[in-house]
Amino acid sequence: MISIRITRPSDIGAVLRAWRDDHRMSQVDLAKKLGVSQRWVSHVENGKPTLQLGLVLRVLNELGIDLFAGATRGAGAEAKSAVLAQSAPSKRLTDIDSIVDD
């Protein structure tokens, strides 16, 4: 299993590219599967920072890519090798409600 710490848009692109390579799919094939354009897939893989986060997350979910658990859903070893981000080393957790203004 490959572990990648997600710190910038290009890291997500690397995850998507690894998944696509493991599944022997072209950008065009993946775009058709997801209902997006090949250009959009290319933008994600190249780390374009202005992509809509909601769509990126929906696509990762559709492919079974779990950015936080460090694994993908699904049976294949190929899918498991594609991924992903483990949380940063354990630190004291902060209650988000305590720092957000009401």
Side-chain angles (χ1 to χ4, degrees):
M1 176 186 305
I2 297 170
S3 177
I4 299 172
R5 187 165 182 200
I6 304 296
T7 59
R8 57 188 188 260
S10 60
D11 296 335
I12 293 175
V15 168
L16 185 61
R17 187 177 309 106
W19 186 95
R20 187 174 55 76
D21 289 345
D22 281 351
H23 289 82
R24 295 179 173 87
M25 295 179 83
S26 69
Q27 286 184 346
V28 171
D29 294 335
L30 182 59
K32 286 179 185 175
K33 174 182 175 66
L34 298 171
V36 298
S37 69
Q38 176 275 326
R39 185 176 179 173
W40 187 88
V41 172
S42 176
H43 285 315
V44 174
E45 289 187 1
N46 288 303
K48 183 176 181 182
T50 57
L51 291 172
Q52 188 179 46
L53 181 59
L55 181 55
V56 172
L57 294 175
R58 191 191 76 180
V59 163
L60 295 176
N61 186 54
E62 177 72 24
L63 298 176
I65 297 173
D66 183 353
L67 293 178
F68 300 106
T72 58
R73 294 184 306 277
E78 300 88 359
K80 291 180 181 169
S81 71
V83 168
L84 301 189
Q86 295 180 350
S87 299
S90 63
K91 295 180 181 177
R92 197 185 110 195
L93 297 176
T94 303
D95 178 9
I96 192 72
D97 292 330
S98 70
I99 61 174
V100 175
D101 293 333
D102 289 326

